[in-house]
Amino acid sequence: MRAVVIEGPRRVRVETRPDPALPGPDGAVVAVTAAGICGSDLHFYGGEYPVGEPLAVGHEAVGTVVEAGPQVRSLKVGDRVMVSSVVGCGVCPGCATRDPVLCHGGLRIFGAGALGGAQADLLAVPVADFQVMKIPESISDEQALLLTDNLVTGWAAAKRADIPLGGTVAVIGLGAVGLCALRSAFVQGAATVFAVDRVGGRLDRAAGYGATPVRSPAAERIIAATGGQGADSVIDAVGSSASMTDALNAARPGGTVSVVGMHDLQPFPLPATTCVLRSITLRMTTAPVQRTWPELIPLLQSGRLDIDGIFTTTLPLDEAAKGYATAQSRSGDNVKILLKP
C-alpha cells in the first residue's frame, strides 16, 4: 500500500509499505477513502516534534471496512465508516465514558509512531467496536472526516470554556479547529465571538460566519470592546506560548480559558499569580472523539451546526507533499487539506 511519511523538516513523500495485518480478533482494516492533514501533523512537518525515522502520518480517516475480526460486533465488511483519531483500549473505566482521552492504559493517536498513519491506502484499527463508527447516510465524507478530530476538538473546546448563554467568547487561531470552535460557540449560546488571527483572509472568513474579527495579539482590543472586562470564555486553538499568554490576558476575572492547540515541547511560563488573583479557570484537552458523536451527528443532520467551507483544497494522496506545503503556508485561502487515496 501507499503511505505518506515525514522524513524530517519539510520532507514528505509517499512510499510503498506492506499492507497492514488485522490487529487482533477485535480489530478491523479500513480502506481509506479520505484523509485530512491536521494542524498537529504540521508539528512533525515543521520540525517542532522530532522524527527519528520516516514516520507514517495522519490521524483523520474515513473509508470502507475491508476486513473485520471475529469479535467485531458493530461493523461488517463493506460498511462506510469513520475512525476516531484518538485510540483507547475500549474496556477500562475511562473508556466506558466513551472518552479515549481518559483511557487507563494511556491514549494513543494514529500517525504518531505506535499505530499506522491514516494518510494511506489502508489503516489497521484495534478494538474496532470502540474506535470505529458506521457513518449515517446523511453525513458527507467531509463532515465525517471532521468528526474524527477537528470538529470534535472545536466542540469540546467550546464546552469546556464554560460559555454562558448570551456570553462573549474569543477564539484564537482560525485554522480548521478554530473555525469549528467558533461555530460551536455560537451553537452553545454565545452572543458575541471575537475571531483572532494574523491572516486577513482567515479573519474575513470568520466574519462571514458572524464573528467579530480581531488581529492578534488581541487581549487589549478584546478588553476595550467589552468595557474593560474581557471575554467570558477564551478558546486557544493555536497552543503557542504567545497565544496562551494572549488568551489568559483576554479572559475576564472569573473567566475560563480552554486550550486545545498543540504546544511545542518547551515549558510554558504560566503567570500563576495573575491567574490566581483573577480567578482564571484553565482547561486543556485533546479530542474526546467518541463521546461527542451522539451530540454532533444530530446537529449536523439538522443543519443547526454548519461546517461547510472548512475543507478548502482536495488533492490525490500522491500529491501529499504539495498538500503539506499548502497547509504550512496558513494562508487565508487554504484552511484544511483533504487527501484522496
Side-chain angles (χ1 to χ4, degrees), residues 44-325:
F44 293 111
Y45 178 72
E48 291 92 0
Y49 295 169
V51 177
E53 58 185 35
L55 176 69
V57 288
H59 52 265
E60 304 171 355
V62 300
T64 303
V65 176
V66 294
E67 188 176 3
Q71 295 178 11
V72 176
R73 297 289 178 262
S74 62
L75 307 167
K76 64 181 185 301
V77 171
D79 282 346
R80 175 174 166 257
V81 297
M82 55 189 179
V83 183
S84 170
S85 57
V86 185
V87 176
C89 72
V91 297
C92 72
C95 288
T97 70
R98 303 299 295 168
D99 183 354
V101 177
L102 305 181
C103 180
H104 288 198
L107 66 85
R108 294 180 292 165
I109 300 174
F110 289 107
L115 299 172
Q119 295 165 16
D121 289 313
L122 298 168
L123 182 65
V125 184
V127 199
D129 284 328
F130 182 67
Q131 257 73 242
V132 180
M133 181 177 179
K134 185 176 178 179
I135 302 172
E137 290 296 331
S138 55
I139 296 295
S140 69
D141 277 1
E142 289 190 357
Q143 289 174 323
L145 201 52
L146 289 174
L147 283 166
T148 68
D149 183 7
N150 288 172
L151 177 56
V152 168
T153 304
W155 180 259
K159 289 196 75 171
R160 292 168 65 86
D162 299 327
I163 299 171
L165 291 176
T168 300
V169 179
V171 177
I172 299 176
L174 302 177
V177 171
L179 291 175
C180 287
L182 184 157
R183 298 188 190 190
S184 297
F186 278 125
V187 172
Q188 292 179 31
T192 301
V193 177
F194 295 104
V196 181
D197 206 291
R198 295 179 178 177
V199 179
R202 296 193 174 194
L203 291 168
D204 293 341
R205 190 181 297 271
Y209 301 149
T212 301
V214 182
R215 287 192 177 271
S216 58
E220 289 187 6
R221 297 181 181 90
I222 290 171
I223 290 170
T226 54
Q229 289 297 299
D232 298 302
S233 308
V234 184
I235 297 168
D236 180 7
V238 179
S240 68
S241 292
S243 66
M244 286 196 282
T245 298
D246 204 26
L248 292 168
N249 289 335
R252 66 165 175 81
T256 298
V257 174
S258 176
V259 180
V260 289
M262 297 299 293
H263 197 264
D264 59 27
L265 300 180
Q266 300 302 313
F268 171 62
L270 178 71
T273 300
T274 299
C275 292
V276 169
L277 292 176
R278 297 177 61 235
S279 193
I280 299 296
T281 297
L282 174 62
R283 293 198 175 106
M284 299 181 172
T285 190
T286 186
V289 183
Q290 293 89 321
R291 180 184 286 180
T292 69
W293 285 342
E295 300 171 334
L296 288 170
I297 289 172
L299 288 170
L300 291 170
Q301 290 172 322
S302 69
R304 287 268 295 133
L305 180 59
D306 175 18
I307 47 80
D308 289 346
I310 300 295
F311 283 99
T312 52
T313 305
T314 299
L315 295 169
L317 187 73
D318 287 333
E319 294 186 23
K322 178 181 178 181
Y324 269 85

